[in-house]
Amino acid sequence: MKTPFVSKDKIEEIAKTIPTPFHIYDEKGIRENAKKVMKAFSWNKGFKEYFAVKATPNPFILKLLKEEGCGVDCSSLTELMMSDVCGFSGHEIMFSSNVTPAEDFVLAKKLGAIINLDDFTHIDFLEKTAGIPETICCRFNPGGLFKIENDIMDTPGEAKYGFTKEQLIEGYRILKDKGVKKFGLHAFLASNTIANQYYPALAKLLFQVAVEVKEKTGVVIDFINLSGGVGIPYRPEQKPTDIAAVGDGVHKAFDEVLVPAGMGHVSIFTEMGRFMLAPYGHLITKVIHQKHTYKEYIGCDACAANLMRPAMYGAYHHITVLGKENEPCTCKYDVTGGLCENNDKFAVDRMLPPIEIGDYLAIHDSGAHGFAMGYNYNGKLRSAEVLLKEDGSFQMIRRAETPDDYFATFDYTGMFSKQTV
């Protein structure tokens, strides 16, 4: 079973000042996990974890990770701006985007971020809009299928990202001629995999490509970015990724491929969001209705606008009824929100303990791609975010939206006054 990192008593204490729903994050768990990642790759002198800002774009979380030695991976103008304000600078920032607006490249260049080009045509576009920096990275897409042993992990050939092999080789030649001095290589080939073999297999592929690039162009790759894709066990019966074993596997591939090629200097980068944060966040929601029709429904004050993964992907998120952790799961429920959409369900036919109105539910693994994917359909407002600190205290790190926030972008001064709403 999955165990929540917060008790019913603590949630009742928090809810006195911060109404549900809200996302809560476990500072202790985040810090301990970051240390495990650093240790797993400590064999590589230049290792850097670039946390994927898109997973949990909150300045308090970013600053916490900065204290643990992480950089940031940004994919948009606003993520760059947030990272800058949080004190990240220069090569602490990796800018990995696609279909990139000119202003994004301009800011990335101004901040001294490592720009990771997604497309061959972006070489010319970047030169015209911001200029070519002395350090640059290129994203590789091998096409076809990506397999580990006999298992198909994903289909890169169907993905919109990255250079082909031929474009990559030619791109490095062009960039070298344009004065680039430090080169990186990047690829993202599978999403949310808990297979310990994923990173080592990806690393070996990229290491081999780096050797080929050196042989064909004379360009020596300085860093290789394994990106993200390392997953978590959303279901309680799943075995979690062993990050120490992953690090050892990458180390073995490094020694087999790069060291004999005279490339033992290469730094390894990662860009994990889900693995770094997802298990250390819960969406806390209060039961406000029950419905007894053809099925038994539990109605929550949270909805898909607060956590859209179940509605969008049919994704499983474990649910704990706080205070009833040890009670038998004898009741079958659909756990729903209040959107005017039938897919607004956190769980379907889920066996849970008997639930009463007023109970608090902890929806697990919302620490990444939870709040970040929120939206305002039906006029629903985004929730607050709370940090549960190591000493047991808590801090609101983002307030909940209000109707004033929702109406703020309308150019109708005074139409939506506080009296109206």
Side-chain angles (χ1 to χ4, degrees):
M1 292 296 293
K2 284 180 175 282
T3 303
F5 58 75
V6 65
S7 67
K8 178 184 178 182
D9 288 345
K10 176 58 70 172
I11 290 303
E12 289 177 335
E13 177 190 350
I14 296 171
K16 290 177 182 178
T17 54
I18 306 174
T20 57
F22 53 78
H23 287 269
I24 187 167
Y25 306 104
D26 177 19
E27 178 183 3
K28 182 179 179 182
I30 294 168
R31 289 190 185 277
E32 289 178 350
N33 191 50
K35 287 178 172 65
K36 289 178 184 177
V37 170
M38 299 302 174
K39 183 178 179 181
F41 290 91
S42 61
W43 54 267
N44 183 261
K45 185 177 180 181
F47 174 74
K48 189 81 170 176
E49 156 59 22
Y50 288 86
F51 173 70
V53 176
K54 61 181 172 287
T56 317
N58 187 294
F60 290 87
I61 298 297
L62 299 188
K63 288 180 179 180
L64 187 159
L65 290 170
K66 190 176 193 301
E67 291 172 5
E68 296 299 332
C70 297
V72 282
D73 168 55
C74 300
S75 57
S76 68
L77 184 76
T78 48
E79 289 181 0
L80 286 167
M81 294 169 69
M82 183 183 294
S83 299
D84 180 34
V85 168
C86 289
F88 295 93
S89 62
H91 288 184
E92 292 180 318
I93 305 171
M94 177 75 65
F95 181 60
S96 301
S97 66
N98 68 95
V99 195
T100 310
E103 62 180 347
D104 295 31
F105 275 142
V106 170
L107 181 57
K109 175 81 172 343
K110 180 181 178 181
L111 296 177
I114 300 173
I115 294 175
N116 182 28
L117 295 176
D118 178 67
D119 181 57
F120 182 80
T121 65
H122 287 183
I123 297 173
D124 183 58
F125 185 76
L126 176 63
E127 185 174 36
K128 290 178 178 177
T129 57
I132 302 292
E134 291 189 352
T135 298
I136 205 157
C137 187
C138 294
R139 184 170 185 167
F140 173 52
N141 184 332
L145 303 176
F146 179 64
K147 297 182 180 180
I148 297 177
E149 297 175 349
N150 294 321
D151 294 330
I152 296 174
M153 302 303 294
D154 218 324
T155 54
E158 299 296 321
K160 67 176 181 176
Y161 309 109
F163 292 58
T164 67
K165 174 74 77 63
E166 294 75 18
Q167 291 172 336
L168 192 72
I169 299 293
E170 181 61 20
Y172 282 127
R173 286 196 184 106
I174 292 170
L175 289 164
K176 182 180 179 183
D177 290 342
K178 292 184 180 295
V180 173
K181 293 180 171 56
K182 287 191 68 176
F183 297 87
L185 176 63
H186 172 286
F188 179 93
L189 301 186
S191 179
N192 191 34
T193 173
I194 54 176
N196 291 338
Q197 303 93 332
Y198 168 59
Y199 254 10
L202 171 62
K204 188 171 185 178
L205 171 64
L206 291 179
F207 297 165
Q208 290 168 340
V209 171
V211 172
E212 184 178 348
V213 166
K214 179 183 176 182
E215 292 172 347
K216 292 184 176 179
T217 69
V219 167
V220 178
I221 299 297
D222 293 283
F223 58 89
I224 292 177
N225 190 331
L226 303 178
S227 66
V230 178
I232 65 159
Y234 283 98
R235 295 179 178 273
E237 68 272 15
Q238 291 178 310
K239 187 177 180 179
T241 301
D242 183 344
I243 198 65
V246 170
D248 288 343
V250 175
H251 192 179
K252 181 180 178 182
F254 188 95
D255 287 346
E256 287 178 355
V257 180
L258 290 182
V259 173
M263 299 177 66
H265 68 283
V266 172
S267 296
I268 302 300
F269 297 163
T270 56
E271 292 175 355
M272 294 183 283
R274 194 187 313 270
F275 183 82
M276 296 295 289
L277 254 294
Y280 311 106
H282 297 331
L283 173 59
I284 304 298
T285 180
K286 191 174 185 178
V287 176
I288 58 174
H289 287 289
Q290 287 183 318
K291 185 174 182 178
H292 318 285
T293 54
Y294 304 105
K295 303 182 78 173
E296 290 295 307
Y297 293 98
I298 297 298
C300 303
D301 59 4
C303 64
N306 305 112
L307 179 65
M308 74 182 298
R309 294 187 73 256
M312 185 174 186
Y313 304 120
Y316 180 95
H317 279 260
H318 198 67
I319 297 175
T320 296
V321 186
L322 294 176
K324 300 181 179 180
E325 291 86 348
N326 298 318
E327 293 188 17
C329 297
T330 56
C331 298
K332 184 188 290 186
Y333 297 114
D334 281 15
V335 181
T336 79
L339 290 184
C340 298
E341 294 289 340
N342 196 45
N343 68 349
D344 181 21
K345 297 178 180 180
F346 296 114
V348 176
D349 294 334
R350 184 75 58 86
M351 297 303 296
L352 293 165
I355 295 176
E356 302 171 24
I357 291 174
D359 281 346
Y360 290 103
L361 308 183
I363 304 178
H364 291 247
D365 301 317
S366 73
H369 310 290
F371 179 94
M373 296 177 74
Y375 54 99
N376 288 126
Y377 181 61
N378 270 181
K380 295 293 187 179
L381 303 175
R382 292 178 178 86
S383 68
E385 292 180 289
V386 178
L387 182 65
L388 180 65
K389 295 188 174 183
E390 290 185 284
D391 63 5
S393 63
F394 64 91
Q395 178 184 5
M396 183 168 65
I397 58 175
R398 188 195 303 263
R399 67 167 175 80
E401 287 182 336
T402 68
D404 283 347
D405 296 318
Y406 181 78
F407 296 127
T409 54
F410 292 109
D411 189 17
Y412 290 97
T413 305
M415 176 175 286
F416 303 104
S417 66
K418 291 182 179 180
Q419 290 76 21
T420 302
V421 297

